[in-house]
PDB file of all heavy atoms in Angstrom:
ATOM      1  N   GLN Q 284       2.676 -14.267 -17.748  1.00 72.00           N
ATOM      2  CA  GLN Q 284       1.689 -14.581 -18.740  1.00 72.00           C
ATOM      3  C   GLN Q 284       0.751 -13.323 -18.963  1.00 72.00           C
ATOM      4  O   GLN Q 284      -0.201 -13.399 -19.720  1.00 72.00           O
ATOM      5  CB  GLN Q 284       0.773 -15.698 -18.226  1.00 72.00           C
ATOM      6  CG  GLN Q 284       1.455 -17.016 -18.173  1.00 72.00           C
ATOM      7  CD  GLN Q 284       1.979 -17.378 -16.752  1.00 72.00           C
ATOM      8  OE1 GLN Q 284       1.360 -16.813 -15.803  1.00 72.00           O
ATOM      9  NE2 GLN Q 284       2.857 -18.258 -16.680  1.00 72.00           N
ATOM     10  N   ALA Q 285       1.083 -12.195 -18.367  1.00 66.00           N
ATOM     11  CA  ALA Q 285       0.310 -10.943 -18.515  1.00 66.00           C
ATOM     12  C   ALA Q 285      -1.144 -11.078 -18.145  1.00 66.00           C
ATOM     13  O   ALA Q 285      -1.958 -10.558 -18.782  1.00 66.00           O
ATOM     14  CB  ALA Q 285       0.489 -10.447 -19.873  1.00 66.00           C
ATOM     15  N   SER Q 286      -1.465 -11.880 -17.122  1.00 79.00           N
ATOM     16  CA  SER Q 286      -2.816 -11.890 -16.658  1.00 79.00           C
ATOM     17  C   SER Q 286      -2.921 -11.156 -15.359  1.00 79.00           C
ATOM     18  O   SER Q 286      -4.105 -10.825 -14.988  1.00 79.00           O
ATOM     19  CB  SER Q 286      -3.341 -13.332 -16.563  1.00 79.00           C
ATOM     20  OG  SER Q 286      -2.508 -14.028 -15.582  1.00 79.00           O
ATOM     21  N   ASP Q 287      -1.871 -10.861 -14.629  1.00 86.00           N
ATOM     22  CA  ASP Q 287      -1.908 -10.041 -13.488  1.00 86.00           C
ATOM     23  C   ASP Q 287      -0.922  -8.945 -13.595  1.00 86.00           C
ATOM     24  O   ASP Q 287       0.269  -9.163 -14.051  1.00 86.00           O
ATOM     25  CB  ASP Q 287      -1.543 -10.899 -12.138  1.00 86.00           C
ATOM     26  CG  ASP Q 287      -2.557 -11.886 -11.750  1.00 86.00           C
ATOM     27  OD1 ASP Q 287      -3.715 -11.752 -12.120  1.00 86.00           O
ATOM     28  OD2 ASP Q 287      -2.165 -12.867 -11.001  1.00 86.00           O
ATOM     29  N   MET Q 288      -1.280  -7.746 -13.254  1.00 91.00           N
ATOM     30  CA  MET Q 288      -0.379  -6.620 -13.264  1.00 91.00           C
ATOM     31  C   MET Q 288      -0.881  -5.499 -12.331  1.00 91.00           C
ATOM     32  O   MET Q 288      -2.049  -5.530 -11.948  1.00 91.00           O
ATOM     33  CB  MET Q 288      -0.283  -6.007 -14.714  1.00 91.00           C
ATOM     34  CG  MET Q 288      -1.537  -5.279 -15.073  1.00 91.00           C
ATOM     35  SD  MET Q 288      -1.609  -4.895 -16.798  1.00 91.00           S
ATOM     36  CE  MET Q 288      -2.009  -6.450 -17.424  1.00 91.00           C
ATOM     37  N   GLY Q 289       0.022  -4.592 -11.994  1.00 93.00           N
ATOM     38  CA  GLY Q 289      -0.353  -3.547 -11.128  1.00 93.00           C
ATOM     39  C   GLY Q 289       0.858  -2.886 -10.510  1.00 93.00           C
ATOM     40  O   GLY Q 289       1.952  -2.814 -11.147  1.00 93.00           O
ATOM     41  N   ALA Q 290       0.653  -2.258  -9.319  1.00 95.00           N
ATOM     42  CA  ALA Q 290       1.719  -1.647  -8.580  1.00 95.00           C
ATOM     43  C   ALA Q 290       1.702  -2.069  -7.155  1.00 95.00           C
ATOM     44  O   ALA Q 290       0.606  -2.471  -6.621  1.00 95.00           O
ATOM     45  CB  ALA Q 290       1.534  -0.092  -8.672  1.00 95.00           C
ATOM     46  N   ILE Q 291       2.833  -1.980  -6.479  1.00 95.00           N
ATOM     47  CA  ILE Q 291       2.945  -2.489  -5.142  1.00 95.00           C
ATOM     48  C   ILE Q 291       3.902  -1.603  -4.374  1.00 95.00           C
ATOM     49  O   ILE Q 291       4.887  -1.001  -4.977  1.00 95.00           O
ATOM     50  CB  ILE Q 291       3.424  -3.982  -5.111  1.00 95.00           C
ATOM     51  CG1 ILE Q 291       3.399  -4.550  -3.692  1.00 95.00           C
ATOM     52  CG2 ILE Q 291       4.765  -4.147  -5.788  1.00 95.00           C
ATOM     53  CD1 ILE Q 291       3.566  -6.019  -3.710  1.00 95.00           C
ATOM     54  N   GLU Q 292       3.744  -1.510  -3.086  1.00 96.00           N
ATOM     55  CA  GLU Q 292       4.672  -0.782  -2.232  1.00 96.00           C
ATOM     56  C   GLU Q 292       4.725  -1.479  -0.867  1.00 96.00           C
ATOM     57  O   GLU Q 292       3.918  -2.292  -0.537  1.00 96.00           O
ATOM     58  CB  GLU Q 292       4.266   0.721  -2.082  1.00 96.00           C
ATOM     59  CG  GLU Q 292       2.947   0.876  -1.282  1.00 96.00           C
ATOM     60  CD  GLU Q 292       2.463   2.255  -1.173  1.00 96.00           C
ATOM     61  OE1 GLU Q 292       3.024   3.144  -1.831  1.00 96.00           O
ATOM     62  OE2 GLU Q 292       1.501   2.486  -0.377  1.00 96.00           O
TER      63      GLU Q 292
END
Side-chain angles (χ1 to χ4, degrees):
Q284 293 100 18
S286 60
D287 291 340
M288 73 191 75
I291 187 169
E292 67 184 8

